[in-house]
Amino acid sequence: MSIFRNILTKSTSQLKTFSRLSTQVRKCSNISESSLPDKGQDELIDFEVSTKEMKYVERLMPQLTVPEVPKHSSYPTPSGWVPPREEALSLPYQVRRTKNHMLPVYHEQTHQNRHCVHIRKVEGDIWALEAALKEHLQQLYPEKQLASQVHEVARSIRIKGHYIHDVADFLISKGF
Amino acid sequence: MLKRAFCILSISKNSFAKGSFGNDFSIIHFKSLSTTCRCFQELTQSSVDTLDIDGSKHLPKQRSLPIITSRKLEYVSQYSQPKQAWLESLETVDENKIGLIDLHPDVFGAFPRIDLIHQNIQWQKLYKKISYETLETRAEKRGGGRKPWPQKGMGRARHGSIRSPLWKGGGKAFGPRGPQSYFYMLSNNLRVAGLCSTLSIKFAQNNLHIVDSLEIPSDDPEYMEDLIDTRFWGFSVLFVDDTDMMPRNISLAVQDLPSFNLMPTYGLNVYSMLKHETLVLTLAAVEKLEEKLLYQLHRTERQAKFRLYQ
């Protein structure tokens, strides 16, 4: 009943309808009829229809498709996420974000000590991206030998070594 | 000489002979419930079709041509532009362009992954395959219970049974055993990528045509043949509409022409698209395909670990 009282005390611009509510007195063995409140046969109870609370239901329901990232006031976000920038369109190569708006850069490990960086979803001149990546990583690690693989059909690049964070930073700096 | 030429012809067209075409089918119904015309009406504000009470449609009136429209595309990345295609019509034998529409780049402009297309075709061939080959083992072969001759003293090789794999007429040791199924499911993402790659290849090679609907003025098969010859639409054509209740005229025209086939969108597959040279989609089919494929490309993976074939 308190729910009805709360709705009634809200703004009267809400739609108000009245309905006849026939009270049904249930016969319970442990409750005597005299203890129940007096109700007339045709007492009218007014209620309001409100759809403002539906958002609390909708945010609990599972989403079928990944939604767009909401606009934040500043980047990077508290989790470290950075949106892609428009200046990346002018480059001869592009690295598209995944459907979850993340960079398509993955760390692969086999045999306990073999680390690779896997960059997927490369569009445009894939060899130019590979050359740029190797040049950038060689500057950071001059004494290391860099081995890489370009898969033109699958549009991916693999680089041997534990350089995932350097590669991610490089791609973010380019605006992907 | 003539007979041999005829045989050669029949072999080359054998794959399109009736009843031996695998997935493709031609369904004949006499009432059109296509949503294509409705889609086109929503898209353009030009003169609309009128619907009679008994359900038969008048042929559309002459429109002011060409109409350039932009469809609402979702999930368009900043790195790719929408592809554009002519919207054609099957009302006349000659080419009849009635508009220009946008196509989603992720569906019709995807990178052609020939390795994934190959995987899709292999899967489509194999998942239905059941091999009924069986060969009996030495235990199942008739006889062979007794030792043919004593172990020693005969000067012959030692044997225990006349049905061992070494013997002529003996059982097969590791042969095929009974009905064996080659069923497996390719993951969802691979099948989606195969469809997008094939559609992109068809579009890039000018083998994809988009029409407003599959309505044609007559049910004569010659009309279809003339239309396809005039427009150079290739030896074989696959018509795809959103509905499986195809219009009367095209169903009758196409039913005895084995290389032209009608298909609903839910039957679209990589094998059929590559089998037919030309792919003709209605506007409703394009909308439906884009909606379904884009959903698969952008869906959440919450329930992935509880699904069987993902």
Side-chain angles (χ1 to χ4, degrees), chain B residues 204-277:
Chain B
Q205 294 180 337
N206 298 323
N207 286 330
L208 181 74
H209 300 275
I210 299 170
V211 296
D212 58 342
S213 83
L214 294 182
E215 303 274 3
I216 54 174
S218 89
D219 58 5
D220 191 8
E222 271 195 41
Y223 178 85
M224 265 338 277
E225 286 185 338
D226 289 340
L227 188 148
I228 281 149
D229 287 337
T230 315
R231 301 185 188 200
F232 300 107
W233 275 8
F235 168 67
S236 48
V237 183
L238 183 64
F239 297 94
V240 180
D241 198 0
D242 191 14
T243 169
D244 47 13
M245 306 278 272
M246 297 293 177
R248 173 191 180 275
N249 281 350
I250 196 166
S251 308
L252 292 172
V254 150
Q255 67 175 334
D256 286 325
L257 300 170
S259 45
F260 308 145
N261 287 296
L262 308 175
M263 187 182 271
T265 44
Y266 59 77
L268 194 65
N269 58 90
V270 174
Y271 185 96
S272 296
M273 282 201 275
L274 291 182
K275 181 86 179 177
H276 295 82
E277 275 192 53

Coordinates of all heavy atoms in Angstrom, one line a residue, chain B residues 204-277:
Chain B
A204 N 32.4 -7.6 -55.4 CA 33.6 -7.0 -56.0 C 33.7 -7.5 -57.5 O 34.3 -6.8 -58.3 CB 34.8 -7.4 -55.2
Q205 N 33.3 -8.7 -57.8 CA 33.4 -9.2 -59.1 C 32.2 -8.9 -60.0 O 32.0 -9.6 -61.0 CB 33.6 -10.8 -59.0 CG 35.0 -11.1 -58.4 CD 35.2 -12.6 -58.3 OE1 34.3 -13.4 -58.3 NE2 36.5 -13.0 -58.2
N206 N 31.4 -8.0 -59.6 CA 30.2 -7.6 -60.4 C 29.2 -8.7 -60.6 O 28.5 -8.7 -61.7 CB 30.6 -6.9 -61.7 CG 31.4 -5.7 -61.5 OD1 31.2 -4.9 -60.6 ND2 32.4 -5.5 -62.3
N207 N 29.2 -9.7 -59.7 CA 28.2 -10.8 -59.9 C 27.1 -10.7 -58.9 O 26.3 -11.6 -58.8 CB 29.0 -12.1 -59.6 CG 29.8 -12.5 -60.8 OD1 29.6 -12.1 -61.9 ND2 30.9 -13.2 -60.5
L208 N 27.0 -9.5 -58.2 CA 25.9 -9.3 -57.3 C 25.0 -8.2 -57.8 O 25.4 -7.2 -58.2 CB 26.4 -8.9 -55.9 CG 25.4 -8.6 -54.8 CD1 24.8 -9.9 -54.3 CD2 26.0 -7.8 -53.7
H209 N 23.7 -8.5 -57.9 CA 22.7 -7.6 -58.4 C 21.6 -7.5 -57.4 O 21.1 -8.5 -56.8 CB 22.1 -8.0 -59.7 CG 23.2 -8.1 -60.8 ND1 23.6 -7.0 -61.5 CD2 23.9 -9.1 -61.2 CE1 24.6 -7.4 -62.3 NE2 24.8 -8.7 -62.2
I210 N 21.1 -6.2 -57.2 CA 20.0 -6.0 -56.2 C 18.8 -5.5 -56.9 O 18.9 -4.6 -57.7 CB 20.5 -5.0 -55.1 CG1 21.7 -5.6 -54.4 CG2 19.4 -4.8 -54.1 CD1 22.4 -4.7 -53.5
V211 N 17.7 -6.2 -56.7 CA 16.5 -5.9 -57.4 C 15.4 -5.5 -56.3 O 15.6 -5.8 -55.2 CB 15.9 -7.0 -58.3 CG1 16.9 -7.3 -59.4 CG2 15.7 -8.3 -57.4
D212 N 14.4 -4.8 -56.8 CA 13.4 -4.3 -55.8 C 12.5 -5.5 -55.4 O 12.1 -5.6 -54.3 CB 12.6 -3.2 -56.4 CG 11.9 -3.5 -57.7 OD1 12.3 -4.5 -58.4 OD2 10.9 -2.9 -58.1
S213 N 12.1 -6.3 -56.4 CA 11.4 -7.5 -56.0 C 11.5 -8.5 -57.2 O 12.0 -8.2 -58.2 CB 9.9 -7.2 -55.8 OG 9.2 -7.2 -57.1
L214 N 11.0 -9.8 -56.9 CA 11.1 -10.8 -57.9 C 9.9 -10.9 -58.8 O 9.6 -12.0 -59.4 CB 11.4 -12.2 -57.2 CG 12.7 -12.3 -56.5 CD1 12.8 -13.7 -55.9 CD2 13.9 -12.0 -57.4
E215 N 9.1 -9.8 -58.9 CA 7.9 -9.8 -59.8 C 8.4 -9.7 -61.3 O 9.1 -8.8 -61.6 CB 7.0 -8.6 -59.4 CG 6.6 -8.6 -58.0 CD 5.4 -9.5 -57.8 OE1 4.9 -10.1 -58.7 OE2 4.9 -9.5 -56.6
I216 N 7.9 -10.6 -62.1 CA 8.1 -10.4 -63.5 C 6.8 -10.4 -64.3 O 5.8 -11.0 -63.8 CB 9.1 -11.5 -64.1 CG1 8.5 -12.9 -63.8 CG2 10.4 -11.3 -63.6 CD1 9.3 -14.0 -64.4
P217 N 6.7 -9.8 -65.5 CA 5.4 -9.6 -66.1 C 4.8 -10.9 -66.7 O 3.6 -11.0 -66.8 CB 5.7 -8.6 -67.3 CG 7.1 -8.7 -67.5 CD 7.8 -9.1 -66.2
S218 N 5.6 -11.9 -67.0 CA 5.0 -13.1 -67.6 C 5.7 -14.4 -67.0 O 6.8 -14.3 -66.5 CB 5.2 -13.1 -69.1 OG 6.5 -13.8 -69.5
D219 N 5.0 -15.5 -67.1 CA 5.5 -16.7 -66.5 C 6.2 -17.6 -67.6 O 6.4 -18.8 -67.4 CB 4.4 -17.5 -65.8 CG 3.3 -17.8 -66.8 OD1 3.4 -17.6 -68.0 OD2 2.3 -18.4 -66.3
D220 N 6.6 -17.0 -68.7 CA 7.2 -17.7 -69.8 C 8.7 -17.9 -69.4 O 9.4 -16.9 -69.1 CB 7.1 -16.9 -71.1 CG 7.5 -17.7 -72.3 OD1 7.7 -18.9 -72.1 OD2 7.5 -17.1 -73.4
P221 N 9.2 -19.1 -69.5 CA 10.7 -19.3 -69.2 C 11.5 -18.5 -70.2 O 12.7 -18.1 -69.8 CB 10.9 -20.8 -69.4 CG 9.5 -21.4 -69.2 CD 8.5 -20.4 -69.7
E222 N 11.0 -18.3 -71.4 CA 11.8 -17.5 -72.4 C 12.1 -16.1 -71.9 O 13.1 -15.6 -72.2 CB 11.1 -17.5 -73.7 CG 11.5 -18.7 -74.6 CD 11.0 -18.5 -76.1 OE1 11.2 -17.3 -76.6 OE2 10.5 -19.4 -76.7
Y223 N 11.1 -15.6 -71.2 CA 11.3 -14.2 -70.7 C 12.6 -14.2 -69.8 O 13.4 -13.3 -69.9 CB 10.1 -13.8 -69.9 CG 10.2 -12.4 -69.3 CD1 10.0 -11.2 -70.0 CD2 10.6 -12.2 -68.0 CE1 10.2 -10.0 -69.5 CE2 10.8 -11.0 -67.4 CZ 10.6 -9.9 -68.1 OH 10.8 -8.6 -67.6
M224 N 12.7 -15.2 -68.9 CA 13.8 -15.2 -68.0 C 15.1 -15.4 -68.7 O 16.1 -14.8 -68.4 CB 13.6 -16.4 -67.0 CG 13.0 -16.2 -65.7 SD 13.0 -14.6 -65.0 CE 14.6 -14.5 -64.2
E225 N 15.1 -16.3 -69.7 CA 16.3 -16.6 -70.5 C 16.7 -15.3 -71.2 O 17.9 -15.0 -71.2 CB 16.0 -17.7 -71.4 CG 16.0 -19.1 -70.7 CD 15.8 -20.2 -71.7 OE1 15.4 -20.0 -72.9 OE2 16.2 -21.4 -71.3
D226 N 15.8 -14.6 -71.8 CA 16.1 -13.4 -72.6 C 16.7 -12.4 -71.6 O 17.7 -11.7 -71.9 CB 14.8 -12.8 -73.3 CG 14.4 -13.7 -74.4 OD1 15.3 -14.5 -74.9 OD2 13.2 -13.6 -74.8
L227 N 16.0 -12.2 -70.5 CA 16.5 -11.2 -69.5 C 17.9 -11.5 -69.1 O 18.8 -10.6 -69.1 CB 15.6 -11.3 -68.3 CG 15.7 -10.3 -67.2 CD1 14.3 -10.0 -66.6 CD2 16.7 -10.7 -66.1
I228 N 18.2 -12.8 -68.8 CA 19.6 -13.1 -68.3 C 20.6 -13.0 -69.4 O 21.7 -12.6 -69.2 CB 19.5 -14.4 -67.6 CG1 18.9 -14.2 -66.2 CG2 20.9 -15.1 -67.4 CD1 18.2 -15.3 -65.6
D229 N 20.2 -13.4 -70.6 CA 21.1 -13.2 -71.8 C 21.4 -11.8 -72.1 O 22.6 -11.4 -72.3 CB 20.5 -13.9 -73.0 CG 20.6 -15.4 -72.9 OD1 21.4 -15.9 -72.1 OD2 19.8 -16.1 -73.6
T230 N 20.4 -10.9 -72.0 CA 20.5 -9.5 -72.3 C 21.5 -8.8 -71.3 O 22.3 -8.0 -71.7 CB 19.2 -8.8 -72.4 OG1 18.3 -9.6 -73.1 CG2 19.3 -7.4 -73.0
R231 N 21.3 -9.2 -70.1 CA 22.0 -8.5 -69.0 C 23.3 -9.2 -68.7 O 24.1 -8.7 -67.9 CB 21.2 -8.5 -67.7 CG 19.9 -7.8 -67.9 CD 19.2 -7.7 -66.6 NE 17.8 -7.2 -66.7 CZ 17.1 -6.6 -65.8 NH1 17.6 -6.5 -64.6 NH2 15.9 -6.2 -66.0
F232 N 23.7 -10.2 -69.4 CA 24.9 -11.0 -69.2 C 25.1 -11.4 -67.8 O 26.1 -11.2 -67.2 CB 26.1 -10.2 -69.7 CG 26.1 -9.8 -71.1 CD1 25.8 -8.5 -71.5 CD2 26.3 -10.8 -72.1 CE1 25.8 -8.2 -72.8 CE2 26.3 -10.4 -73.4 CZ 26.0 -9.1 -73.8
W233 N 24.0 -11.9 -67.2 CA 24.1 -12.3 -65.8 C 24.7 -13.7 -65.6 O 24.6 -14.2 -64.5 CB 22.7 -12.3 -65.2 CG 22.3 -10.9 -64.7 CD1 23.0 -9.7 -64.9 CD2 21.1 -10.5 -64.0 NE1 22.4 -8.7 -64.4 CE2 21.2 -9.1 -63.8 CE3 20.1 -11.2 -63.5 CZ2 20.2 -8.4 -63.1 CZ3 19.1 -10.5 -62.8 CH2 19.2 -9.1 -62.6
G234 N 25.3 -14.3 -66.6 CA 26.0 -15.5 -66.3 C 25.2 -16.7 -66.6 O 23.9 -16.7 -66.8
F235 N 25.9 -17.9 -66.6 CA 25.2 -19.1 -66.9 C 24.2 -19.5 -65.8 O 23.1 -19.9 -66.1 CB 26.3 -20.2 -67.0 CG 25.7 -21.6 -67.0 CD1 25.0 -22.0 -68.1 CD2 26.0 -22.4 -65.9 CE1 24.5 -23.3 -68.1 CE2 25.4 -23.7 -66.0 CZ 24.7 -24.1 -67.0
S236 N 24.5 -19.3 -64.5 CA 23.6 -19.7 -63.5 C 23.3 -18.5 -62.6 O 24.2 -17.7 -62.3 CB 24.2 -20.8 -62.7 OG 25.5 -20.5 -62.3
V237 N 22.1 -18.4 -62.1 CA 21.6 -17.3 -61.3 C 20.9 -17.8 -60.1 O 20.1 -18.7 -60.2 CB 20.7 -16.3 -62.1 CG1 20.4 -15.1 -61.2 CG2 21.3 -15.9 -63.4
L238 N 21.2 -17.2 -58.9 CA 20.5 -17.5 -57.7 C 19.8 -16.3 -57.2 O 20.3 -15.3 -57.0 CB 21.6 -17.9 -56.6 CG 21.0 -18.4 -55.3 CD1 20.2 -19.7 -55.4 CD2 22.2 -18.6 -54.3
F239 N 18.5 -16.5 -57.2 CA 17.6 -15.4 -56.7 C 17.3 -15.6 -55.3 O 16.8 -16.7 -54.9 CB 16.3 -15.4 -57.5 CG 16.4 -15.1 -59.0 CD1 16.6 -16.1 -59.9 CD2 16.5 -13.8 -59.5 CE1 16.7 -15.9 -61.2 CE2 16.6 -13.5 -60.8 CZ 16.8 -14.6 -61.7
V240 N 17.5 -14.6 -54.5 CA 17.3 -14.7 -53.0 C 16.3 -13.6 -52.6 O 16.5 -12.4 -52.9 CB 18.6 -14.5 -52.2 CG1 18.4 -14.6 -50.7 CG2 19.6 -15.5 -52.7
D241 N 15.2 -14.0 -51.9 CA 14.2 -13.1 -51.3 C 14.1 -13.4 -49.9 O 14.4 -14.5 -49.4 CB 12.9 -13.3 -52.1 CG 12.0 -12.1 -51.9 OD1 12.4 -11.1 -51.1 OD2 10.9 -12.0 -52.4
D242 N 13.5 -12.5 -49.1 CA 13.3 -12.7 -47.7 C 12.3 -13.7 -47.4 O 12.3 -14.3 -46.3 CB 13.0 -11.3 -47.1 CG 13.0 -11.4 -45.5 OD1 13.6 -12.4 -45.0 OD2 12.5 -10.5 -44.9
T243 N 11.3 -14.0 -48.3 CA 10.2 -14.9 -48.0 C 10.5 -16.2 -48.8 O 11.2 -16.3 -49.7 CB 8.9 -14.3 -48.5 OG1 7.9 -15.2 -48.5 CG2 9.0 -13.7 -49.9
D244 N 9.8 -17.3 -48.3 CA 9.8 -18.5 -49.1 C 8.6 -18.7 -49.9 O 8.4 -19.7 -50.6 CB 10.1 -19.7 -48.2 CG 9.3 -19.7 -47.0 OD1 8.3 -19.0 -46.9 OD2 9.6 -20.5 -46.0
M245 N 7.7 -17.7 -49.9 CA 6.5 -17.8 -50.8 C 6.8 -16.9 -52.0 O 6.7 -15.6 -51.9 CB 5.3 -17.2 -50.0 CG 5.0 -17.9 -48.7 SD 4.1 -19.5 -49.0 CE 2.4 -18.9 -48.9
M246 N 7.3 -17.5 -53.0 CA 7.8 -16.7 -54.1 C 6.7 -16.3 -55.1 O 5.6 -16.9 -55.1 CB 8.8 -17.5 -54.9 CG 10.1 -17.8 -54.1 SD 11.0 -16.4 -53.7 CE 12.3 -17.1 -52.7
P247 N 6.8 -15.2 -55.8 CA 5.7 -14.8 -56.7 C 5.5 -15.9 -57.8 O 6.3 -16.7 -58.1 CB 6.3 -13.5 -57.4 CG 7.4 -13.1 -56.5 CD 7.9 -14.2 -55.8
R248 N 4.2 -15.9 -58.3 CA 3.8 -16.9 -59.2 C 4.6 -17.0 -60.4 O 5.0 -18.1 -60.9 CB 2.3 -16.7 -59.4 CG 1.7 -17.6 -60.5 CD 0.3 -17.2 -60.9 NE -0.2 -18.1 -61.9 CZ 0.0 -18.0 -63.2 NH1 0.8 -17.0 -63.7 NH2 -0.5 -18.8 -64.1
N249 N 4.7 -15.8 -61.1 CA 5.3 -15.8 -62.4 C 6.8 -16.3 -62.4 O 7.1 -17.1 -63.3 CB 5.3 -14.4 -63.0 CG 3.9 -14.0 -63.5 OD1 3.0 -14.9 -63.6 ND2 3.7 -12.7 -63.8
I250 N 7.5 -15.9 -61.5 CA 8.9 -16.3 -61.5 C 9.1 -17.7 -61.1 O 9.9 -18.4 -61.6 CB 9.8 -15.3 -60.6 CG1 11.3 -15.5 -61.0 CG2 9.6 -15.6 -59.2 CD1 12.2 -14.5 -60.4
S251 N 8.2 -18.2 -60.3 CA 8.2 -19.6 -59.9 C 8.0 -20.5 -61.1 O 8.7 -21.5 -61.3 CB 7.2 -19.9 -58.8 OG 7.3 -19.0 -57.7
L252 N 7.0 -20.1 -61.9 CA 6.6 -21.0 -63.1 C 7.7 -20.8 -64.1 O 8.0 -21.8 -64.8 CB 5.3 -20.5 -63.6 CG 4.1 -20.9 -62.8 CD1 2.8 -20.3 -63.3 CD2 3.9 -22.4 -62.6
A253 N 8.3 -19.6 -64.3 CA 9.3 -19.4 -65.3 C 10.5 -20.2 -65.1 O 11.2 -20.6 -66.0 CB 9.6 -17.9 -65.4
V254 N 10.9 -20.3 -63.8 CA 12.2 -20.8 -63.4 C 12.2 -22.3 -63.1 O 13.2 -22.9 -63.0 CB 12.7 -19.9 -62.2 CG1 13.6 -20.7 -61.3 CG2 13.4 -18.7 -62.8
Q255 N 11.0 -22.9 -63.0 CA 10.9 -24.3 -62.4 C 11.6 -25.3 -63.4 O 12.1 -26.3 -62.9 CB 9.5 -24.7 -62.1 CG 8.6 -24.8 -63.3 CD 7.2 -25.3 -62.9 OE1 7.1 -26.0 -61.9 NE2 6.2 -25.0 -63.7
D256 N 11.5 -25.1 -64.7 CA 12.2 -26.0 -65.6 C 13.5 -25.6 -66.1 O 14.1 -26.2 -67.0 CB 11.2 -26.3 -66.8 CG 10.0 -27.1 -66.4 OD1 10.2 -28.0 -65.5 OD2 8.9 -26.9 -66.9
L257 N 14.0 -24.5 -65.5 CA 15.4 -24.1 -65.9 C 16.3 -24.4 -64.7 O 16.3 -23.7 -63.7 CB 15.4 -22.6 -66.2 CG 14.4 -22.1 -67.3 CD1 14.3 -20.6 -67.3 CD2 15.0 -22.5 -68.6
P258 N 17.1 -25.5 -64.9 CA 17.8 -26.0 -63.7 C 18.9 -25.0 -63.2 O 19.3 -25.1 -62.0 CB 18.4 -27.3 -64.2 CG 18.4 -27.2 -65.6 CD 17.3 -26.3 -66.0
S259 N 19.4 -24.1 -64.0 CA 20.5 -23.3 -63.6 C 20.0 -22.0 -62.9 O 20.8 -21.2 -62.5 CB 21.5 -23.0 -64.7 OG 20.8 -22.6 -65.9
F260 N 18.7 -21.7 -62.9 CA 18.2 -20.6 -62.2 C 17.4 -21.1 -61.0 O 16.5 -21.9 -61.1 CB 17.3 -19.7 -63.1 CG 17.9 -19.4 -64.4 CD1 17.1 -19.3 -65.5 CD2 19.3 -19.1 -64.5 CE1 17.7 -19.0 -66.8 CE2 19.8 -18.8 -65.7 CZ 19.0 -18.7 -66.9
N261 N 17.7 -20.6 -59.8 CA 17.1 -21.1 -58.6 C 16.7 -20.0 -57.7 O 17.3 -18.9 -57.6 CB 18.1 -22.0 -57.9 CG 18.4 -23.3 -58.6 OD1 17.4 -24.1 -58.7 ND2 19.6 -23.5 -59.0
L262 N 15.6 -20.3 -57.0 CA 15.0 -19.3 -56.0 C 15.3 -19.8 -54.6 O 15.3 -21.0 -54.4 CB 13.5 -19.2 -56.2 CG 13.0 -18.9 -57.6 CD1 11.4 -19.0 -57.6 CD2 13.4 -17.6 -58.0
M263 N 15.6 -18.9 -53.7 CA 16.0 -19.3 -52.4 C 15.6 -18.3 -51.4 O 15.7 -17.1 -51.6 CB 17.5 -19.5 -52.4 CG 18.1 -20.0 -51.1 SD 19.9 -20.1 -51.1 CE 20.1 -21.7 -51.8
P264 N 15.1 -18.6 -50.2 CA 14.9 -17.7 -49.1 C 16.2 -17.3 -48.4 O 17.2 -18.0 -48.6 CB 13.9 -18.4 -48.2 CG 14.2 -19.8 -48.4 CD 14.6 -20.0 -49.8
T265 N 16.2 -16.2 -47.6 CA 17.4 -15.8 -47.0 C 17.9 -16.8 -46.0 O 19.2 -16.9 -45.9 CB 17.2 -14.5 -46.3 OG1 16.0 -14.5 -45.5 CG2 17.2 -13.3 -47.2
Y266 N 17.0 -17.6 -45.4 CA 17.6 -18.5 -44.4 C 18.3 -19.7 -45.0 O 18.9 -20.5 -44.4 CB 16.4 -19.0 -43.5 CG 15.3 -19.7 -44.1 CD1 15.3 -21.0 -44.6 CD2 14.0 -19.0 -44.3 CE1 14.3 -21.6 -45.1 CE2 13.0 -19.7 -44.8 CZ 13.1 -21.0 -45.3 OH 12.0 -21.6 -45.8
G267 N 18.1 -19.8 -46.4 CA 18.8 -20.9 -47.1 C 20.1 -20.5 -47.7 O 20.8 -21.3 -48.3
L268 N 20.5 -19.2 -47.5 CA 21.7 -18.7 -48.2 C 23.0 -19.4 -47.6 O 23.1 -19.5 -46.3 CB 21.8 -17.2 -48.0 CG 22.8 -16.5 -48.9 CD1 22.5 -16.6 -50.3 CD2 23.0 -15.1 -48.5
N269 N 23.9 -19.9 -48.4 CA 25.1 -20.6 -47.9 C 26.2 -20.3 -48.9 O 26.0 -20.0 -50.1 CB 24.8 -22.0 -47.7 CG 24.3 -22.7 -49.0 OD1 25.1 -23.2 -49.8 ND2 23.0 -22.7 -49.2
V270 N 27.4 -20.6 -48.5 CA 28.6 -20.3 -49.2 C 28.7 -21.2 -50.5 O 29.0 -20.7 -51.6 CB 29.9 -20.5 -48.4 CG1 31.1 -20.3 -49.2 CG2 29.9 -19.5 -47.2
Y271 N 28.3 -22.4 -50.3 CA 28.4 -23.4 -51.5 C 27.5 -22.9 -52.6 O 27.9 -22.9 -53.8 CB 28.0 -24.8 -51.0 CG 28.1 -25.9 -52.0 CD1 29.3 -26.7 -52.0 CD2 27.1 -26.1 -52.9 CE1 29.4 -27.7 -52.9 CE2 27.3 -27.1 -53.8 CZ 28.4 -27.9 -53.8 OH 28.5 -28.9 -54.8
S272 N 26.2 -22.6 -52.3 CA 25.3 -22.2 -53.3 C 25.7 -20.9 -54.0 O 25.6 -20.7 -55.2 CB 23.9 -22.0 -52.7 OG 23.4 -23.2 -52.2
M273 N 26.3 -19.9 -53.2 CA 26.7 -18.7 -53.8 C 27.8 -18.9 -54.7 O 27.9 -18.2 -55.7 CB 27.1 -17.7 -52.6 CG 25.9 -17.1 -51.9 SD 26.3 -15.6 -51.1 CE 26.9 -16.2 -49.5
L274 N 28.7 -19.8 -54.4 CA 29.8 -20.0 -55.4 C 29.4 -20.9 -56.5 O 30.0 -20.8 -57.6 CB 31.0 -20.7 -54.6 CG 31.7 -19.8 -53.6 CD1 32.9 -20.5 -53.0 CD2 32.2 -18.5 -54.2
K275 N 28.4 -21.7 -56.3 CA 27.9 -22.6 -57.4 C 27.3 -21.8 -58.5 O 27.5 -22.1 -59.7 CB 26.9 -23.6 -56.8 CG 26.4 -24.6 -57.7 CD 27.3 -25.8 -57.8 CE 26.7 -26.8 -58.8 NZ 27.5 -27.9 -59.0
H276 N 26.5 -20.8 -58.1 CA 25.9 -20.0 -59.1 C 26.8 -18.8 -59.4 O 27.4 -18.2 -58.6 CB 24.6 -19.4 -58.6 CG 23.5 -20.5 -58.3 ND1 23.5 -21.2 -57.2 CD2 22.5 -20.9 -59.1 CE1 22.5 -22.1 -57.2 NE2 21.9 -21.9 -58.3
E277 N 26.8 -18.5 -60.7 CA 27.7 -17.4 -61.1 C 27.2 -16.0 -60.6 O 28.0 -15.2 -60.2 CB 27.8 -17.3 -62.7 CG 28.9 -18.3 -63.2 CD 29.2 -18.0 -64.7 OE1 29.4 -16.8 -65.0 OE2 29.1 -19.0 -65.4

